Amino acid sequence: MATSSVSKGCFVFKPNFKKRKISVPIEDYFNKGKNDSEDSKLRFETYQLIWQQMKSETEKSHSGFQKNSRDWGCQIKLREIPTAALVLGVNVTDHDLTFRSLTEVLQNNVTPYVVSLQAKDCPDMKHFLQKLASQLMDCNVDVQSKEKEGVQVTQKKIHYSMDSLSTWYMNVTQKTDPKIPRKKRTPSQWQSPPVVLILKDMESFTTKVLQDFIIISSQHLHEFPLILIFGIATSPIVVHRLLPHAVSSLLCIELFQSLSCKEHLTTVLDKLLLTTQFPFKLSEKVLQVLTNIFLYHDFSIQNFIKGLQLSLLEHFYSQPLSVLCCNLPEAKRRINFLSDNQCENIRRLPSFRRYVEKQASEKQVALLTNERFLKEETQSLLENLHVYHTNYFLVLRCLHQFTSSLPKYPLGRQIRELYCTCLEKNILDSEEYASALQLLRMLAKDELMAMLQKCFKVFKSSSEKHFGNTAKRIEEFLAQFQSLDAEAKEEEEDTSESQSKGLQKTDLYHLQKSLLEMKELRRTSKRQTKFEVLREQLVSFIDSLVREYLLLPETQPLHEVLYFSAAHTLRQHLNAAPRIALHTALNNPYYYLKNEALRSEEGCIPNVAPDICIAYKLHLECSRLINLVDWSEAFATVVTAAEKMDANSVTSEERNEIIHARFIRAVSELELLGFIKPTKQKTDHVARLTWGGC
Amino acid sequence: MMSKLESKEDKMLEVQFVGDDDVLNHILDREGGAKIKKERAQLLVNTKKIIKKPEYDLEEDDQEVLKDQNYVEVLGRHVQESLKNGSATDGGNKVYSFQNRKHPEKMAKLASELAKTPRKSVSSNLKSDPEITIDIPQCSKGHSASDKVQLKNNDKSEFLSTAPRGLRKRLIVPRSHSDSESEYSASNSEDDEGVAQEYEEDTNEVILSEQIQAQNRVLSAPVCKETPSKKMKRDKTSDLVEEYFEAHSSSKVLTSDRTLQKLKRAKLDQQTLHNLLSKVSPSFSAELKQLNQQYEQLFHKWMLQLHLGFNIVLYGLGSKRDLLERFRTTVLQDCIHVVINGFFPGISVKSILNSITEEVLNHMGTFRSVVDQLDWIINKFKEESSLELFLLIHNLDSQMLRGDKSQQIIGQLSSLRNIYLIASIDHLNAPLMWDHAKQSLYNWLWYETTTYSHYTEETSYENSLLVKQSGSLPLSSLTHVLRSLTPNARGIFRLLIKYQLDNQDNPSYIGLSFQDFYQQCREAFLVNSDLTLRAQLTEFRDHKLIRTKKGTDGVEYLLIPVDNGTLTDFLEKEEEEF
């Protein structure tokens, strides 16, 4: 069937009913794309599993802050509408998720009547009430039997007022009242459940509608108990800006602040990436791309997670060995079933080759020829990798505790920044690390103590046994610092004595001299204080930890199995630049069509280029208006010159016609692309719509 | 007294504000100045590029350095690693730089340059060197002018190379050193006659005029030599902002006044256009095929990603219709899918929703509003999780669908778990349709598919600039309506047509006044009272055959809202029938 017509724009295709029954499972698409891929089904299942786990993890973090809002809403004064203002931040796209879980929580714990409205549904009071009513009835239908459906349809058409709503409410609550005690609802002081109205995007509501609604509903409050929840993206002041005092005084507003999106990102990263729970890891570049899109473009957690999902998908799609990207016992089991091809794949991994080269020659031969030996080795390598990650994250957190509060934050304030630097290059070589250590050497005792304490907690929380030692070391450090207290006091007295001695009545010259001496003395003696020594020890201890555990992931054999590194595909699909693609295609056709005839210097195109490129190039030379005649002649000049080389045998008149037709086509294509538009300013002229490109 | 003072002040002002430009304009002509300026702007770009190069190479070495400060730049520049992501090698500064004033004849010049440089372009080398630029383009300019003269004068396809050698020499020699815009300055103020005249002149006269201009050259040449250095100096201080305001300072745009009517082949209708184009053998078909094959390999990946909740949008130059069509025929054969031609002028969200409710879901009822319909569809799809629907939208950014409301609705549809959307966009500014909320509804994955295919189907509907309306539709409706009328009524209408055709060259023709019309009809024994005529006219008006307009004097004027070509055709046909 054709999909073009002069009378129709939509074409529906329905396959035969029988055919439709056989729906192709998604997995098939996964492996159809590549013939050589191994274990694709398993890979896909793993992908799904990990993704589900990750998703549930993120959703948990969403619902965290809402718990506090549950208990609230009990106090009510006579004329005031209890109101909650949720400050949610600018990441509007994430709000939906928040509101959804909030609605759920409210419905489960407080009241069945939860209605959420969006500004675009309610341009005026009538629509507002209509939406409110219809949603309320829907809520109600869920609770009650659905037999009222017929009534409902008729109700939809009547004009709603607050009166009708409150009578409806009375009816409903009276009906359901006897049920409530049986159901054992959460005890509340409402004799009947309140109606909760969520205004998702408070800022975009028209002021008048909001004001009217609040005034009216405050009149009906005694018979229609209402609770408002405002979703606010900017700041709480907006409530007062939208509502005059007379109206806002009718509200009893309580403010709730949600997590800022940056903190949200931190928790998401913390739960998904900085953990050994999920074997999948991102390389530095991918992480950079994702965080940059987040920080510079939208602040949207949802988008960030989408990026994460895409990278997970890409990883499993493109890397055949990603079948091993699962938890350790399962991976070990799977290694035993690896096919010969997969073994070859392992041998081909660059990191594995590097590893082999380092081994003794007999072992090299064994690794390259003996499948069983290879599998055993792979198992142990994977285990090493797992251990490496466990240590890595512990030490990373520990280091973060030490560096996150340093002045000027040489290694970043957030753990993700630290993580990025660690992934990017060997942190020991970086200047930032050196300066961080320098700063650590200057910290006061109580600060160090606090950090140590936190660090100790980090290590304690992990069950890993080979860090028992480290934890013990830290504990010792703590104890030593504490014991320093007493000694330090004595010392201080000493120094103060000496100081008082030094400051006798002298002339200026002597004073200067003695001060210099004291300074000298202090500098030399300082190194000797116990605190200094201990601090030095601590710093070198941390340094040794970093040296041992914070190695680059690229140095680990088999890291390709777990790390996704194709950052450019990610950026291409998430953060595309259509304008630039268009520009390149028009300016430099050689970029796409690898034909030597098209190769040219920058800023020029050969005359054999596609018509649209030539027309585009010519139009760049014009200012705001373009004369079509001039344009077509210039076009013809170029094209005839190109044709001549092909030695066409067509007659000139016909050729001219054809060239004109080609010009027309190119122009209308440029119009479709939005570079030019017809104008009436001058006959046979078009207007240019873009700047630059000269 | 006052006026004198004012004029004095004017003079004072003029004296004060004469800049280099004005001096130059005084000596040369305006275009010359603009042209030189343009050249040094190009030079500027070049030097910039040279400065940028090393930094850029570095970046390639590090593959992707995404430092905060140059993040935006890097994004704009894209990654070099992959071949297929259309990254402009010349970064964003070219794409988004301000426009500077263009020399009106620049296009012809470039055309001749392009035409002349066979494969490799020499001109870019030339451009980089200011000294040569002054000479060479002028030289080529001369060619272009002669080119054009040739083109116009002898349609026997005696082009530049075939032209008599001596003539060519004569044409070029005096020009090569003369001030470049000699020809244009002659018709400087877009004197239409001048241009037209020039083309009617025979070559001798051209040479004559050339000689006259050659006299000018003595004066202008030394100045010309001087200017580049001066300009360069000024250039350092001026920046893009100034250039922008310069480009917009004069409200008048300098273009030539030539119109298509003077050309023989002014407008083609859709059919002949199509026929002509079918004769053109496509170039680079091997490369295009290779490109397409690359994209076709992605089909299964697309299916996978669609199933996982992403939606796919294709961008890049060239029609993506064929590609999507192949996608449809290879992968979607066994699924319910709807193809939506966004470029179809009558498309609307309503029609999309209708085809979903009526043809996909077999629902016969009607809906009060689009939103209701959408809600119904959403509920339906949520209830029946086994239902799956693929939406293929060609040109999601078309005129009819780009509205905020339409995009919102399509976005809501696409956010459903079991509706899969794959769409293509072509317009330069298409991504501006979507704000964050819509983008998260769509959940796009972007794929670049530059195909270089022609937008044949997409442009066939729109009233393109140079495509004549074939008028076959109005013509047939005219005949149909008139056939049902009485002979007298037909006569009345024919009178009106003839009058309109007689006046077709009169630009101020607003229609035939009712009184005159009545008089004419009476004379032709077509009506006997003005009431009959009015009754007849009402019938015409009901069929939208005529339009009435009140003139400035309050008199009713009658006009047939059909173009003259169609009317002529109609008359011819009528005469054949009788």
Side-chain angles (χ1 to χ4, degrees):
Chain A
M1 222 201 295
T3 54
S4 64
S5 148
V6 287
S7 59
K8 220 173 132 190
C10 295
F11 304 89
V12 179
F13 295 91
K14 283 171 102 171
N16 294 333
F17 191 71
K18 274 180 207 159
K19 261 194 196 164
R20 211 196 310 162
K21 278 275 149 189
I22 330 153
S23 66
V24 189
I26 315 169
E27 297 98 277
D28 285 14
Y29 296 115
F30 195 80
N31 47 26
K32 258 189 206 163
K34 326 186 87 200
N35 300 323
D36 59 334
S37 67
E38 299 277 326
D39 309 313
S40 47
K41 196 166 177 202
L42 204 57
R43 258 157 60 200
F44 182 73
E45 275 163 13
T46 327
Y47 156 76
Q48 294 255 305
L49 189 76
I50 292 183
W51 176 238
Q52 288 312 324
Q53 285 170 350
M54 283 181 150
K55 220 161 88 179
S56 63
E57 203 54 58
T58 49
E59 267 155 26
K60 250 183 253 164
S61 68
H62 260 298
S63 55
F65 87 101
Q66 292 148 4
K67 290 196 177 109
N68 52 3
S69 63
R70 200 199 306 165
D71 323 319
W72 152 90
C74 302
Q75 73 277 47
I76 179 172
K77 284 164 203 157
L78 199 55
R79 278 282 144 121
E80 286 184 0
I81 308 170
T83 306
L86 296 179
V87 183
L88 291 164
V90 289
N91 46 337
V92 187
T93 44
D94 298 339
H95 294 178
D96 255 2
L97 211 57
T98 317
F99 279 120
R100 212 177 307 144
S101 47
L102 176 65
T103 317
E104 225 163 80
V105 170
L106 286 174
Q107 256 166 353
N108 289 338
N109 299 316
V110 184
T111 163
Y113 311 115
V114 181
V115 177
S116 56
L117 290 180
Q118 271 177 310
K120 61 171 188 281
D121 299 332
C122 332
D124 51 34
M125 200 60 201
K126 191 178 137 206
H127 282 93
F128 191 102
L129 283 179
Q130 216 157 31
K131 271 274 165 194
L132 173 64
S134 63
Q135 281 204 33
L136 261 184
M137 312 282 182
D138 275 349
C139 295
N140 186 44
V141 167
D142 290 341
V143 178
Q144 290 186 319
S145 60
K146 288 212 173 185
E147 64 193 47
K148 270 178 76 179
E149 208 128 319
V151 190
Q152 221 192 310
V153 178
T154 54
Q155 270 178 341
K156 260 190 183 173
K157 277 162 197 159
I158 62 165
H159 182 75
Y160 286 106
S161 66
M162 217 54 205
D163 281 327
S164 61
L165 268 181
S166 45
T167 48
W168 167 85
Y169 180 77
M170 291 292 270
N171 279 340
V172 171
T173 40
Q174 272 163 14
K175 264 187 219 164
T176 49
D177 250 348
K179 280 185 197 164
I180 290 171
R182 252 182 284 149
K183 272 190 177 174
K184 295 238 166 141
R185 291 199 161 274
T186 43
S188 70
Q189 63 193 67
W190 303 90
Q191 63 270 58
S192 51
V195 174
V196 177
L197 175 61
I198 302 175
L199 304 180
K200 281 185 180 177
D201 38 359
M202 201 240 182
E203 283 101 332
S204 34
F205 275 93
T206 20
T207 350
K208 197 163 179 317
V209 171
L210 264 187
Q211 289 173 15
D212 288 352
F213 178 75
I214 290 169
I215 293 169
I216 294 171
S217 52
S218 71
Q219 299 295 322
H220 290 268
L221 201 60
H222 54 281
E223 51 203 15
F224 189 73
L226 183 78
I227 297 179
L228 288 176
I229 296 181
F230 295 151
I232 296 171
T234 49
S235 79
I237 309 164
V238 88
V239 176
H240 296 287
R241 199 170 300 155
L242 280 178
L243 307 171
H245 180 72
V247 178
S248 59
S249 62
L250 295 173
L251 303 174
C252 164
I253 300 180
E254 193 131 335
L255 198 66
F256 295 92
Q257 193 93 30
S258 84
L259 275 175
S260 87
C261 45
K262 269 198 238 163
E263 283 168 58
H264 209 132
L265 177 71
T266 313
T267 45
V268 168
L269 277 180
D270 219 40
K271 286 193 168 149
L272 297 182
L273 289 178
L274 300 174
T275 165
T276 47
Q277 193 186 347
F278 303 108
F280 176 70
K281 297 279 178 293
L282 297 178
S283 80
E284 185 263 335
K285 277 170 217 151
V286 178
L287 190 61
Q288 280 281 20
V289 168
L290 287 180
T291 46
N292 277 334
I293 290 176
F294 178 84
L295 292 175
Y296 292 92
H297 288 258
D298 48 11
F299 284 124
S300 162
I301 293 292
Q302 219 179 330
N303 260 349
F304 183 83
I305 289 173
K306 171 187 165 190
L308 212 57
Q309 185 191 3
L310 183 65
S311 40
L312 189 65
L313 176 63
E314 282 285 331
H315 180 62
F316 279 94
Y317 190 78
S318 55
Q319 173 62 266
L321 284 173
S322 57
V323 68
L324 300 179
C325 182
C326 54
N327 56 25
L328 194 58
E330 178 65 22
K332 278 184 173 173
R333 202 181 58 78
R334 285 183 191 177
I335 285 173
N336 290 326
F337 299 108
L338 283 186
S339 65
D340 290 357
N341 257 341
Q342 285 283 50
C343 291
E344 259 327 291
N345 279 335
I346 292 180
R347 287 186 188 124
R348 258 185 243 129
L349 287 181
S351 67
F352 187 75
R353 260 187 288 174
R354 250 178 279 138
Y355 170 77
V356 170
E357 276 158 24
K358 277 182 205 150
Q359 306 303 313
S361 56
E362 310 94 67
K363 204 177 173 191
Q364 275 186 13
V365 173
L367 277 175
L368 293 179
T369 51
N370 191 343
E371 307 280 296
R372 173 170 295 172
F373 188 68
L374 176 78
K375 281 178 185 172
E376 278 167 16
E377 195 65 23
T378 315
Q379 278 183 342
S380 73
L381 282 178
L382 268 187
E383 196 167 334
N384 284 348
L385 203 57
H386 183 79
V387 172
Y388 159 79
H389 276 134
T390 330
N391 297 343
Y392 191 94
F393 293 125
L394 270 177
V395 175
L396 189 75
R397 277 172 215 276
C398 167
L399 183 64
H400 175 66
Q401 296 298 351
F402 278 104
T403 57
S404 60
S405 52
L406 290 178
K408 281 193 187 166
Y409 311 102
L411 285 170
R413 210 188 306 210
Q414 305 282 352
I415 194 162
R416 67 182 141 81
E417 294 166 72
L418 183 64
Y419 186 45
C420 268
T421 16
C422 290
L423 286 178
E424 190 187 354
K425 55 189 175 199
N426 203 340
I427 190 166
L428 292 169
D429 301 337
S430 68
E431 275 175 41
E432 291 89 356
Y433 178 69
S435 67
L437 280 193
Q438 205 67 46
L439 286 170
L440 271 182
R441 289 201 182 93
M442 285 187 263
L443 280 184
K445 200 185 69 183
D446 42 352
E447 284 172 304
L448 274 179
M449 294 267 285
M451 286 175 184
L452 269 177
Q453 222 106 40
K454 278 190 224 154
C455 232
F456 184 63
K457 260 181 221 155
V458 170
F459 280 112
K460 260 281 157 66
S461 64
S462 79
S463 51
E464 228 28 66
K465 46 183 176 276
H466 38 255
F467 268 106
N469 247 343
T470 325
K472 219 173 269 169
R473 269 304 289 282
I474 290 174
E475 212 171 4
E476 276 172 29
F477 272 120
L478 265 175
Q480 277 170 328
F481 272 119
Q482 266 153 3
S483 66
L484 265 180
D485 259 349
E487 295 167 38
K489 253 175 208 161
E490 286 169 25
E491 256 176 52
E492 245 167 60
E493 274 162 32
D494 281 353
T495 48
S496 60
E497 265 172 48
S498 67
Q499 267 177 0
S500 59
K501 237 184 271 166
L503 293 172
Q504 281 163 353
K505 215 175 187 180
T506 48
D507 57 2
L508 202 63
Y509 173 72
H510 278 113
L511 179 71
Q512 218 168 15
K513 206 174 166 188
S514 57
L515 276 175
L516 272 176
E517 270 170 19
M518 267 166 59
K519 216 175 170 185
E520 203 69 13
L521 195 80
R522 209 175 292 161
R523 204 181 292 162
T524 46
S525 67
K526 194 128 202 177
R527 206 164 288 147
Q528 268 107 47
T529 61
K530 271 201 171 170
F531 170 66
E532 305 263 348
V533 175
L534 209 54
R535 190 164 61 182
E536 195 57 44
Q537 273 176 3
L538 178 67
V539 171
S540 59
F541 168 70
I542 295 167
D543 191 42
S544 71
L545 274 183
V546 171
R547 245 166 240 283
E548 195 177 348
Y549 296 112
L550 283 191
L551 298 168
L552 275 182
E554 278 87 59
T555 59
Q556 303 299 312
L558 294 185
H559 72 266
E560 288 97 336
V561 172
L562 307 184
Y563 280 83
F564 173 69
S565 56
H568 63 273
T569 42
L570 206 63
R571 176 138 20 107
Q572 213 178 314
H573 295 324
L574 292 179
N575 203 342
R579 283 187 76 138
I580 290 176
L582 215 55
H583 179 78
T584 315
L586 287 169
N587 250 334
N588 184 12
Y590 177 72
Y591 191 85
Y592 292 95
L593 308 168
K594 300 282 176 202
N595 190 317
E596 282 309 309
L598 288 173
R599 189 188 273 285
S600 68
E601 313 267 328
E602 199 175 321
C604 263
I605 52 166
N607 49 22
V608 288
D611 293 346
I612 188 169
C613 300
I614 292 171
Y616 173 77
K617 204 74 194 164
L618 290 172
H619 110 287
L620 287 183
E621 299 301 322
C622 293
S623 55
R624 275 177 290 159
L625 291 182
I626 306 172
N627 186 319
L628 277 173
V629 183
D630 287 348
W631 196 3
S632 87
E633 267 173 15
F635 181 80
T637 319
V638 178
V639 174
T640 35
E643 294 248 306
K644 213 169 285 162
M645 290 185 292
D646 301 347
N648 252 354
S649 57
V650 203
T651 59
S652 70
E653 186 48 42
E654 196 180 352
R655 188 183 345 171
N656 284 346
E657 286 271 293
I658 290 176
I659 288 172
H660 190 61
R662 281 165 65 182
F663 172 70
I664 290 175
R665 176 169 64 184
V667 169
S668 46
E669 281 174 1
L670 282 179
E671 191 188 348
L672 181 85
L673 292 176
F675 284 104
I676 52 166
K677 68 166 190 199
T679 177
K680 289 215 167 110
Q681 281 182 39
K682 221 170 165 186
T683 35
D684 290 329
H685 274 65
V686 287
R688 242 188 102 175
L689 295 177
T690 50
W691 298 118
C694 44
Chain B
M1 192 59 187
M2 276 301 281
S3 66
K4 252 188 200 171
L5 226 156
E6 267 179 346
S7 69
K8 233 183 192 175
E9 269 177 3
D10 275 350
K11 269 180 195 165
M12 285 294 284
L13 275 174
E14 259 185 53
V15 171
Q16 275 177 341
F17 286 108
V18 163
D20 288 359
D21 268 9
D22 295 319
V23 174
L24 269 179
N25 290 340
H26 201 68
I27 301 168
L28 291 168
D29 48 52
R30 218 177 145 58
E31 277 68 47
K35 184 182 158 281
I36 292 157
K37 210 177 294 167
K38 161 85 179 126
E39 271 158 17
R40 61 102 172 118
Q42 275 172 344
L43 197 78
L44 181 76
V45 172
N46 278 343
T47 50
K48 253 187 208 162
K49 227 158 271 157
I50 291 159
I51 298 163
K52 247 185 186 141
K53 265 263 153 72
E55 172 199 316
Y56 192 48
D57 288 347
L58 244 174
E59 228 163 56
E60 269 184 300
D61 287 356
D62 299 357
Q63 300 206 322
E64 298 160 83
V65 189
L66 274 179
K67 282 292 163 213
D68 290 5
Q69 59 268 41
N70 59 9
Y71 172 72
V72 180
E73 256 185 273
V74 176
L75 259 196
R77 205 172 282 154
H78 247 252
V79 208
Q80 277 309 104
E81 299 165 356
S82 75
L83 286 172
K84 295 250 78 357
N85 60 357
S87 64
T89 37
D90 36 17
N93 68 333
K94 262 196 125 181
V95 190
Y96 304 111
S97 69
F98 288 121
Q99 182 196 39
N100 41 13
R101 170 176 284 151
K102 291 290 160 47
H103 177 248
E105 280 284 274
K106 200 78 185 161
M107 188 155 71
K109 200 191 84 189
L110 184 90
S112 63
E113 261 173 45
L114 288 178
K116 280 178 65 208
T117 53
R119 305 242 151 172
K120 302 274 168 189
S121 58
V122 201
S123 59
S124 71
N125 288 337
L126 302 178
K127 268 180 197 161
S128 63
D129 192 324
E131 294 302 307
I132 308 170
T133 350
I134 303 159
D135 286 345
I136 303 297
Q138 284 162 9
C139 189
S140 63
K141 164 79 192 101
H143 283 296
S144 94
S146 58
D147 243 358
K148 257 193 264 167
V149 174
Q150 297 287 344
L151 263 170
K152 284 303 295 178
N153 279 353
N154 24 359
D155 266 338
K156 298 153 207 157
S157 91
E158 278 187 354
F159 290 107
L160 186 62
S161 57
T162 54
R165 215 162 167 250
L167 176 69
R168 220 172 113 211
K169 231 179 188 173
R170 265 183 294 159
L171 265 172
I172 296 160
V173 168
R175 276 211 171 189
S176 56
H177 288 287
S178 77
D179 176 33
S180 66
E181 270 61 47
S182 52
E183 179 217 37
Y184 202 79
S185 61
S187 59
N188 185 14
S189 54
E190 282 84 54
D191 186 0
D192 196 9
E193 277 172 27
V195 181
Q197 192 192 347
E198 200 175 26
Y199 288 120
E200 281 151 27
E201 278 170 355
D202 57 15
T203 37
N204 282 336
E205 273 174 279
V206 173
I207 293 164
L208 209 135
S209 72
E210 229 69 90
Q211 279 166 347
I212 297 164
Q213 277 142 9
Q215 290 171 346
N216 284 344
R217 127 190 96 98
V218 187
L219 225 163
S220 56
V223 186
C224 202
K225 261 176 206 163
E226 227 174 285
T227 41
S229 57
K230 253 187 193 173
K231 286 287 160 193
M232 295 276 282
K233 232 181 273 168
R234 267 195 63 194
D235 185 39
K236 276 163 198 162
T237 49
S238 77
D239 56 349
L240 285 170
V241 182
E242 276 176 38
E243 275 175 33
Y244 175 82
F245 285 113
E246 200 180 328
H248 285 254
S249 56
S250 70
S251 56
K252 198 167 175 249
V253 188
L254 294 171
T255 50
S256 69
D257 277 342
R258 298 192 288 163
T259 55
L260 285 171
Q261 271 191 329
K262 298 223 164 74
L263 283 178
K264 266 183 239 152
R265 37 170 202 282
K267 285 194 174 183
L268 305 169
D269 61 41
Q270 199 66 248
Q271 193 55 42
T272 42
L273 184 69
H274 192 75
N275 290 341
L276 283 172
L277 287 176
S278 61
K279 288 178 195 156
V280 184
S281 58
S283 46
F284 309 113
S285 44
E287 286 84 1
L288 289 174
K289 203 173 163 195
Q290 204 182 342
L291 269 182
N292 274 320
Q293 272 168 358
Q294 278 175 14
Y295 302 137
E296 275 166 40
Q297 280 164 8
L298 293 170
F299 282 176
H300 286 289
K301 200 172 179 185
W302 289 353
M303 275 308 262
L304 173 72
Q305 286 168 340
L306 285 173
H307 275 281
L308 291 175
F310 297 106
N311 291 308
I312 287 178
V313 61
L314 309 179
Y315 65 94
L317 180 67
S319 167
K320 289 154 281 279
R321 194 166 170 277
D322 292 338
L323 186 71
L324 281 179
E325 211 37 25
R326 271 198 301 283
F327 175 70
R328 186 178 77 80
T329 44
T330 48
V331 205
L332 292 186
Q333 272 316 316
D334 301 335
C335 320
I336 312 177
H337 54 276
V338 179
V339 178
I340 295 151
N341 292 339
F343 49 82
F344 178 67
I347 196 84
S348 65
V349 180
K350 181 85 182 147
S351 61
I352 296 175
L353 293 182
N354 275 344
S355 59
I356 293 177
T357 49
E358 284 163 19
E359 295 184 57
V360 178
L361 301 173
N362 296 321
H363 177 79
M364 279 306 130
T366 51
F367 297 92
R368 266 182 302 147
S369 71
V370 182
V371 180
D372 278 350
Q373 197 168 5
L374 180 72
D375 288 343
W376 188 82
I377 292 173
I378 289 175
N379 281 334
K380 192 82 180 171
F381 273 95
K382 274 184 180 156
E383 277 166 27
E384 288 184 49
S385 55
S386 65
L387 214 56
E388 284 188 342
L389 176 66
F390 285 85
L391 292 179
L392 270 93
I393 306 185
H394 303 292
N395 284 78
L396 184 59
D397 56 346
S398 69
Q399 205 82 51
M400 298 305 294
L401 296 181
R402 67 174 65 144
D404 187 59
K405 266 231 164 89
S406 324
Q407 289 297 326
Q408 178 73 31
I409 287 170
I410 298 174
Q412 269 171 306
L413 271 185
S414 72
S415 66
L416 286 179
R417 204 180 45 78
N418 36 11
I419 289 188
Y420 312 111
L421 173 66
I422 178 162
S424 69
I425 55 167
D426 288 300
H427 197 277
L428 184 66
N429 297 324
L432 298 182
M433 293 188 295
W434 304 313
D435 54 11
H436 279 280
K438 283 197 202 72
Q439 258 174 2
S440 79
L441 274 180
Y442 276 117
N443 204 15
W444 288 128
L445 285 187
W446 297 74
Y447 274 89
E448 190 192 328
T449 52
T450 301
T451 60
Y452 282 100
S453 334
H454 295 291
Y455 292 101
T456 326
E457 196 70 39
E458 286 91 330
T459 53
S460 67
Y461 289 105
E462 69 182 332
N463 307 327
S464 188
L465 293 162
L466 294 165
V467 181
K468 195 173 69 182
Q469 295 303 300
S470 65
S472 58
L473 213 67
L475 186 63
S476 68
S477 51
L478 257 186
T479 27
H480 273 285
V481 171
L482 283 196
R483 223 169 257 164
S484 65
L485 297 176
T486 59
N488 265 5
R490 257 183 275 171
I492 292 170
F493 196 68
R494 209 175 310 131
L495 256 182
L496 192 57
I497 291 178
K498 274 183 185 151
Y499 189 81
Q500 189 159 335
L501 286 179
D502 289 343
N503 283 293
Q504 62 180 326
D505 291 333
N506 180 7
S508 58
Y509 173 74
I510 45 165
L512 180 57
S513 72
F514 180 78
Q515 276 310 322
D516 293 351
F517 193 31
Y518 175 60
Q519 210 57 43
Q520 286 185 21
C521 289
R522 261 184 85 95
E523 280 161 18
F525 299 110
L526 291 168
V527 289
N528 52 7
S529 75
D530 68 340
L531 271 182
T532 7
L533 181 59
R534 277 199 194 280
Q536 206 53 256
L537 290 182
T538 320
E539 182 151 0
F540 289 155
R541 205 176 294 135
D542 290 346
H543 285 293
K544 300 224 167 72
L545 289 179
I546 59 165
R547 214 167 41 202
T548 49
K549 217 193 232 167
K550 276 259 164 70
T552 43
D553 47 355
V555 182
E556 238 183 321
Y557 286 100
L558 307 168
L559 195 72
I560 305 174
V562 182
D563 66 317
N564 293 333
T566 318
L567 290 181
T568 332
D569 287 352
F570 173 72
L571 275 187
E572 279 167 15
K573 246 187 167 179
E574 283 279 275
E575 260 137 50
E576 272 170 34
E577 276 178 29
F578 286 110

